[in-house]
Structure formats: C-alpha cells, structure tokens
Amino acid sequence: MDHATPQPLSFAFDRASGELSATFTPTPGFPPLSLAFLKQAMADNGLTKLFFQDSILNGFVRKAEDAKEAVTQVIAERRDGEFALEVSDDLMSASLTLVAPFGGRAKSVEVVNAVRAAGITYGILHEQLRGALTAGHCNKLVIAQGLMPTPAEPARFESLLEEKEEELAEIDDDAVVSYADMGHLLLVSAGDPLMRRIPPVPGQDGIDIRGGKVPARPIADITFAKESIGAEPSADDPDLLVAMVPGQPTVIKNGVKVNPVIDVENVDLSTGNLTFEGTVRVSGDVMTGMKLHVGGDVVVNGTVEAAEIVAGGSVTVKGGVIGHSEGVTATAGTTAIASRISAQKSVQVMFAESAHIEAGESILVLGNARHCELLAGDEIVVGKGNPRTGHIIGGRVEATNSIRANVIGASTTTFTRVQVGLDPYLEEKIAIKEQEYARKVAELDRTIKQQAYYKLNPEKATPEILFETSDKRKALAYEVKVLLEEVGQMKEGIVAAEDARIIVAKAVYEGTELRIGHETWPVQSDLGGGTAQLFEGDIRYNPKK
C-alpha cells in the first residue's frame, strides 16, 4: 500500500472567525519556504480571495526559515464589503464609496437601503449605481444629482440710438443731396425712442436629491437710471425710454440723457445743417452756406458768415455778421444780401454787413450796420456804448416804433432808407387774412345760393342734405364774422405814425431817405443830430439841442 508523502505547508480556515492559518513543518528533502511558494499554494487552494498583506506573509516566511519545528500563524482573513454614502450639505448630490469584499459578502442590498434611508428620491443616477454594485467597488462616485436652480437673467438695456445713427448714414443713391444737408449731429425730438429695457427673466427653482424645492436666487428689478435727464419711460410702454425734450442724447448706464441745449464748436460741413427744436450754442463760427433752424435761441460766440439762421427765440452773435455779397446781385432799391437771420424774438449782433436781419421784437447792432436789411416789430438800435460806431450805411432799415443810430448814411451819398411807423410784417399778415376772408365770403355766398335753389326745387334735396347745408351756412357765417373782427383788430394794431421816431445822435447824410408811416422825405443835404417825426401829416426833423 502506497503512503502519501507528507507536505511541509498546510492551511486551516476557521469559518466562524473567518481567519486563515498557515502551518509550516520543516521536512527533510523539501526546500525552505519562500513567499512565491506560499502565494502559489494559496492560489492552488483557492484562498487568494481572502484579505492578506505581503508584510504578514513575509513575516510568516521568515519565521519558517528559522523554525526547527512546526510554525503556525494567521496570514489572511475573510472580510465583507464596505461602503460609505455621503450626502452634500446642500442636498444637491450624493456620492458612494464602495469597497469590494475579500471572501465575504457584498453590501449591495445595504447600499440600496442606505439610499432609501437617506431620503434620496430625486436625481438618482441608476446606471452609475448599477455599474458600481456590479463592479463591487468605486470611490466617491456621484450616484444622485439634484437639479440646480436656473439663474435669473437681469434686466438688459438696449440703446435705440444706433437706429437713428443709421438713418443719418442712409443716403438715397438716386437723390441729389448737398453735403451740408447730411446731418452729422445726432439729435432727437420729443417723443423719440431712446432705449429699450428688456425686463428680467426670473430664475427657475431647482430640486434637491430629497425632492425638496431649491429656490432660485432673487434678482433686483432694475429700472431706467434716475440720471436720465430729459427722458422718461413712455406712458404706453414703461420699458421704453423716450425723449421728453428735443436735444442731443448721451447714453449713460441704464439710461440716456437728453441735453436741450446743443453745444457745437462750429456749424460747418462737419456738423451739417442743423434743424433742432431747442437751443443751440456755437462756440465758434457759422460758416458760409450753412443753415441753422431752431425752435429756441441761438448764441454764436464767433461770427456768422453767408449763412442762414432761423430761430423761434432770440439770436445773439457776439462776433458779428459778415454776409459775402460777391456773386449776389441786388435788384433796384434793394441790397445784395448773402447772410440771413430771422428770430421770433430779438436779435443782437456785434456788427452787420450785407446781412438780412429780422426780428419779431427788437434788433440791437452794437457796432455798425453796412448795406443791410434790418426789419423789427418794435425797435432797432445801432450803436451802443461807443460813440465812434452806430453807423447805418446803405441798405434798408425798418421798425414799427423807433430807430436809433449815431449816423445814418455816408458822405459818399450812399442810398440808405430808414422807415418807422409801419409794422414791417403786419401789412403782409393783414393781406393774408383778407384773402382768407374773401374766400370764406365767396363760399358763404355759394352756400346761400344753394339753399335758395333747394327751396325752389325741394325734390332735389333730401332732409339730410337740407340739414347739412343749413349747418354749413351757419358755420361759414360765424367764420366770416370772426375773420372780419380779426382783420379789424390787426388794423387797429398798426402803430400810429405820429408816435414813431427816428432818433440820430450825430448826423444824417444826403442820399438818405426817411419814411414815417406813408410819408417819405429824401434828405437833400447833410444834417446834424436830431429826431424825425410826423407833425400835421408831414415829416419834421428837429435838430438836436
């Protein structure tokens, strides 16, 4: 009978404690125990699934090398799987760390139960969780993810001025356009849109991994800047900022300022002709060929060349008006004019030459007026504060009440016409009003004849037509009455010529024509200072005492 050869290495596994013990018995004919041999023996016996460490195995091998008798030591153990479930403080994520078992039991069921116990019901990443449980191990793997709140979008402000700038740049290729008419200055009128406010978009609430609501962070509802002077939200659309006054817009943070006063260095080709409802201040000059039409005042610190200024307020030119008359032909009895200023109120200039200046109220020329047309609804004063100036030389000067100057005419007998006692504008206004009166009278006459025709031929008109014709006659009769009263009032407004004066401080030269009311007096010889006025229907010149 054969006997098995005794083996020096043997293993014993205690199922209760889960510990694996190894015993090495020194045996003649067998080599000493090595780590490689020990690991191979464990593998051959299916023991490598247990938890072991090389340091423990090496310690056992060293003991066996010096042993004279059998050596026994625990070299491995059974271990169940382990896990750690971490839930973030904000409840927006959960991560799993899973340690695989060593010969023991996996904790898959426990992991699932722990997820439930933690109250995780939303955002579970099932595929990641199944993959980790199948693999048996993972390290801080996110297995549940909440839905983060969607951030709110703050209010946005979009300038609409770019559209107006594009309008300035648009030119009809087929149109004949003067370069001076191409406005280069961005201006707005009252009611023009300036800026659009895009309201804020509220954020969307999120959901944490326990199914709870995560409120979106609130955001301030920003309105148009309070510094938006000259602009306000539209009454029809509170998210649309519109200009309240005409002016020059400037974009600021969350708004637009509108300056009702335009300040420019010069009015020239760089600005283009200006049409504006407010006030314009020019620090320099208004250059030849330019046009400036404004609803308010105009202040020019420099000079006005052969240009045109029309103002709804007053005009002040601190450097004088120099109209270049070259190439401008004067008709009989008129002056060659190349510079024109018109103001509803008053005009003040340092001096004027070859200029047409008219004002609804008064005109003040601080220096001299040479070859000009000056027309004022009240008075004209030429020369103030300097006795060496105040000359009216050539041209035509007309005012309703009075004209004052130091000298009228010139020693060269330059023809100069000066007139007072008649409103330069009123006769034209009366003529227009009388034409309107004549039209209404003619229309009333036709309506009366139409009524008479319907009375003789009642079958030709329905009751509605008769009613409309009667109403029309009444309305026209009222309009004719009002127009007649207006014409009468305007004629009464003509200043009595007897109250008008032409006052001269130093001299009136031959060649001057003085007019008061409808009376004319050609000056036949040089005169000293004095006052011209009507006396018993004739012009009388009273020398200065």
Side-chain angles (χ1 to χ4, degrees), residues 298-350:
V298 175
V299 178
V300 181
N301 287 335
T303 60
V304 175
E305 297 183 356
E308 177 179 292
I309 297 177
V310 178
S314 298
V315 175
T316 301
V317 182
K318 297 182 179 180
V321 183
I322 308 173
H324 303 291
S325 59
E326 292 82 355
V328 181
T329 304
T331 58
T334 65
T335 302
I337 298 297
S339 183
R340 295 183 177 273
I341 297 177
S342 175
Q344 294 291 323
K345 294 184 178 179
S346 299
V347 175
Q348 177 179 323
V349 301
M350 177 62 70

Side-chain angles (χ1 to χ4, degrees), residues 103-114:
R105 188 174 60 83
K107 294 294 183 74
S108 299
V109 175
E110 287 80 354
V111 169
V112 174
N113 291 335

Side-chain angles (χ1 to χ4, degrees), residues 36 91 200 204 218 294 300 321 323 327 334 348 351 367 371 405 419 432 466 490:
L91 301 180
Q204 298 290 327
V294 303
V300 181
V321 183
T334 65
Q348 177 179 323
F351 60 87
H371 306 290
Q419 174 181 304
I432 294 173
L466 292 175
M490 293 172 73

Side-chain angles (χ1 to χ4, degrees), residues 35-45:
L35 179 61
F37 182 81
L38 176 58
K39 284 185 175 182
Q40 184 60 51
M42 291 176 65
D44 294 342
N45 287 274

Side-chain angles (χ1 to χ4, degrees), residues 224-242:
F224 288 112
K226 294 181 179 179
E227 294 77 12
S228 298
I229 300 170
E232 289 184 7
S234 168
D236 300 325
D237 184 355
D239 290 320
L240 179 65
L241 189 68
V242 298

